[in-house]
């Protein structure tokens, strides 16, 4: 019977020189693959950087074109340019802020407020964006919100005389007028409610004045009833007016006269 012995590992049959050569070639291939990966990542990153630079450059060109159109009061065309620029640089707060100003010039207050809010979201440290937002809110009638926006703008840039002397001062004046109008309206409603709930006065029907008036009316009615006027037409057509009294009836012959009252 054949005896079994331990099997040698395959690696033991490979010479040391061959093994070293294999390891060196594998290391070279790994280094080359690593270099290829690094080159690919670098190329992709560079390509993105170039694309981003092109987008920023094109967006700036569109922004400047829109600004020129807005200066010439071609507001709709300016908005189209800025919308196109926003497709390239959607985080540019200045584009939203300028768009809000133009929308206010077109008296489109709801879109103007929305555009200004987008500008503030993208750059909360922009005092321009807060000022524009306050003006848009003021045009929409949101006076309290406008005052807050102007205050934030001043907090960012306290030395801005335009916001302090014009925007915030005007907004506060409107707020005082609004409060006064509301107060007058409330007072008018309260007065109207009080008048509606005012009870009917309790007249004294037994007073001397009321009794005297009633007595005078009764005397006048008595005098009228004491003397009655009668119109009598005779058979021949003669008309005669006779005043009859209660205690002295004047009744002519019924065959000769026709009585008409």
């Amino acid at each position: 019977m054949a005896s079994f012995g331990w099997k040698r590992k395959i690696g033991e049959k490979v010479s040391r020189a061959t093994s070293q050569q294999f390891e060196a070639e594998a290391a070279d291939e790994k280094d080359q693959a690593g270099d290829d990966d690094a080159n690919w990542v670098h190329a992709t990153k560079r390509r993105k950087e170039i694309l981003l630079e092109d987008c920023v450059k094109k967006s700036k060109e569109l922004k400047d074109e829109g600004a020129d159109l807005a200066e010439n009061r071609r507001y709709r065309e300016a908005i189209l340019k800025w919308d196109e620029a926003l497709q390239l640089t959607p985080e540019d707060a200045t584009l939203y802020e300028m768009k809000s100003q133009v929308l206010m010039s077109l008296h489109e207050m709801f879109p103007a407020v929305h555009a200004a809010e987008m500008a503030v979201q993208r750059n909360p440290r922009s005092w321009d964006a807060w000022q524009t937002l306050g003006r848009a809110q003021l045009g929409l009638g949101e006076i309290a919100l406008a005052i807050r926006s102007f205050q934030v703008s001043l907090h960012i840039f306290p030395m801005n005389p335009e916001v302090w002397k014009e925007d915030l001062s005007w907004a506060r004046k409107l707020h005082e007028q609004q409060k006064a109008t509301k107060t007058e309206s409330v007072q008018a409603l309260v007065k109207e409610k009080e008048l509606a709930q005012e009870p009917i006065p309790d007249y004294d029907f037994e007073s001397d004045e009321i009794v005297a008036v009633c007595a005078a009316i009764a005397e006048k009615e008595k005098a009228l009833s004491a003397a009655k006027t009668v119109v009598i037409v005779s058979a021949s057509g003669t008309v005669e007016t006779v005043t009859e009294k209660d205690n002295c009836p004047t009744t002519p012959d019924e065959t000769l006269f026709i009585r008409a009252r």
Side-chain angles (χ1 to χ4, degrees), residues 200-215 217:
I200 299 174
D202 187 12
Y203 293 106
D204 185 8
F205 292 98
E206 296 182 358
S207 63
D208 297 338
E209 292 82 1
I210 299 297
V211 173
V213 171
C214 293
I217 295 174

Side-chain angles (χ1 to χ4, degrees), residues 10-165:
I10 297 177
E12 296 179 357
K13 296 181 179 180
V14 182
S15 64
R16 183 177 297 276
T18 304
S19 177
Q20 292 176 350
Q21 183 179 0
F22 175 77
E23 291 175 358
E25 291 177 355
D28 292 340
E29 291 178 358
K30 184 177 181 180
D31 293 339
Q32 184 177 1
D35 293 339
D36 291 340
D37 292 340
N39 292 334
W40 180 82
V41 172
H42 179 72
T44 303
K45 184 178 180 181
R46 180 57 184 164
R47 193 177 301 113
K48 289 182 179 179
E49 291 176 353
I50 294 173
L51 181 61
L52 181 60
E53 291 174 358
D54 292 340
C55 290
V56 172
K57 183 179 179 180
K58 181 62 176 177
S59 176
K60 186 178 184 304
E61 293 176 357
L62 292 169
K63 182 194 293 185
D64 295 338
E65 292 176 8
D68 292 336
L69 291 169
E71 287 289 336
N72 295 321
R73 299 181 181 276
R74 298 165 63 180
Y75 299 132
R76 295 295 181 186
E77 297 176 54
I79 291 175
L80 292 177
K81 292 291 183 182
W82 292 334
D83 285 341
E84 188 176 351
L86 284 171
Q87 296 295 323
L88 301 173
T89 54
E91 298 301 319
D92 192 343
T94 308
L95 289 169
Y96 285 105
E97 191 270 332
M98 293 191 300
K99 182 179 178 181
S100 178
Q101 292 187 50
V102 168
L103 288 169
M104 280 190 283
S105 298
L106 294 172
H107 303 288
E108 298 182 9
M109 293 305 171
F110 280 105
V113 170
H114 177 70
E117 288 176 345
M118 296 292 286
V120 168
Q121 290 176 8
R122 278 152 180 76
N123 188 7
R125 299 295 302 170
S126 173
W127 65 268
D128 286 326
W130 283 104
Q131 181 188 25
T132 302
L133 176 60
R135 290 179 174 179
Q137 291 168 335
L138 202 62
L140 200 60
E142 298 292 344
I143 301 176
L145 294 178
I147 291 176
R148 179 185 177 277
S149 297
F150 293 142
Q151 289 174 341
V152 174
S153 179
L154 279 174
H155 179 75
I156 298 171
F157 183 27
M159 302 304 294
N160 189 346
E162 184 181 13
V163 177
W164 180 263
K165 295 181 180 180

Side-chain angles (χ1 to χ4, degrees), residues 205-254:
F205 292 98
E206 296 182 358
S207 63
D208 297 338
E209 292 82 1
I210 299 297
V211 173
V213 171
C214 293
I217 295 174
E219 290 294 332
K220 186 175 180 180
E221 292 292 335
K222 184 177 180 181
L224 291 176
S225 61
K228 297 181 180 179
T229 302
V230 179
V231 178
I232 300 175
V233 182
S234 64
S236 60
T238 303
V239 178
E240 183 179 0
T241 302
V242 179
T243 300
E244 67 175 353
K245 298 182 180 180
D246 293 338
N247 55 359
C248 185
T250 55
T251 306
D253 189 354
E254 296 294 337

